[in-house]
Amino acid sequence: MAKVFIHATVTLDGYLADVNGGVDWMFDVETVPEDESVVTNVMAEIGAVVGGANRTQTIEDGEIPYGGMLKVPVYLMTHSPHEPVEHDGITYTFVVDDLAQAIEAAEHAAGEKWVSLLGGSISRQCLQLGLVDEIHLDVVPILLGEGISLFGGLGMRVDLERLETSAFASETHLRYRVRS
């Protein structure tokens, strides 16, 4: 059965995007091969992705999970029906208002691989529903001061067990199991 995990690059103050949703700050951080290896190894385990659809239910180049490097099924949460979209070898399936259904479909598609959750809202909702197995964070040494928080508004306590920690030139990589 697939593992469901939150995978995010965040600033030290816990933001995954600036106030306008921008993530350009991610590309200002120097990395070393060890940092890239951690992320590459995680990406090799991903068999499906669940995230949120944009308002127009289109697939814009800047919104493609993992920059299109992963050719795995993507399930996007939406409030209105939309036919699947095929873009650059990736099928995007829109799921209306049923996050548990999206996770179930992604788990089926992923098989023995992992289901990656992208975005703060999706991640928080899955935590609240008890659907998350692990959290993987790549923390960069930047303080944005304000922005879109990964866990802000979660509204509940979640106990974690540290599985792995590594730090190299600039990033700190954290991996936790969610205790049920």
Side-chain angles (χ1 to χ4, degrees):
M1 184 168 178
K3 178 188 313 183
V4 177
F5 78 114
I6 296 167
H7 188 220
T9 299
V10 295
T11 62
L12 188 58
D13 50 355
Y15 296 112
L16 55 88
D18 65 26
V19 292
N20 298 315
V23 295
D24 290 345
W25 52 267
M26 283 186 199
F27 308 109
D28 293 337
V29 178
E30 273 189 52
T31 62
V32 294
E34 294 88 350
D35 287 317
E36 294 168 14
S37 179
V38 170
V39 176
T40 300
N41 290 341
V42 170
M43 288 175 49
E45 295 296 329
I46 297 172
V49 173
V50 175
N54 65 25
R55 286 186 173 88
T56 59
Q57 296 181 324
T58 57
I59 309 303
E60 305 295 329
D61 284 338
E63 300 170 336
I64 298 173
Y66 298 97
M69 292 185 294
L70 290 177
K71 302 298 185 192
V72 300
V74 177
Y75 297 85
L76 299 174
M77 297 307 303
T78 185
H79 295 298
S80 57
H82 193 285
E83 290 299 314
V85 171
E86 181 81 22
H87 181 75
D88 196 28
I90 301 171
T91 300
Y92 296 83
T93 301
F94 296 86
V95 181
V96 179
D97 295 331
D98 190 340
L99 191 51
Q101 177 189 357
I103 296 297
E104 185 177 319
E107 286 177 320
H108 179 74
E112 294 298 315
K113 290 200 164 222
W114 302 352
V115 174
S116 177
L117 303 176
L118 298 181
S121 178
I122 297 298
S123 296
R124 289 187 300 272
Q125 289 175 65
C126 285
L127 279 168
Q128 291 164 340
L129 293 170
L131 300 173
V132 178
D133 298 306
E134 291 186 12
I135 299 172
H136 296 224
L137 300 178
D138 302 310
V139 183
V140 296
I142 295 174
L143 297 171
L144 285 180
E146 62 181 344
I148 299 172
S149 172
L150 179 56
F151 298 115
L154 179 61
M156 62 183 279
R157 176 182 167 155
V158 177
D159 292 326
L160 306 171
E161 173 188 353
R162 185 176 55 83
L163 297 175
E164 188 177 346
T165 304
S166 60
F168 301 103
S170 60
E171 296 180 36
T172 301
H173 308 279
L174 307 169
R175 180 178 170 207
Y176 296 95
R177 177 180 296 122
V178 175
R179 292 184 176 168
S180 30

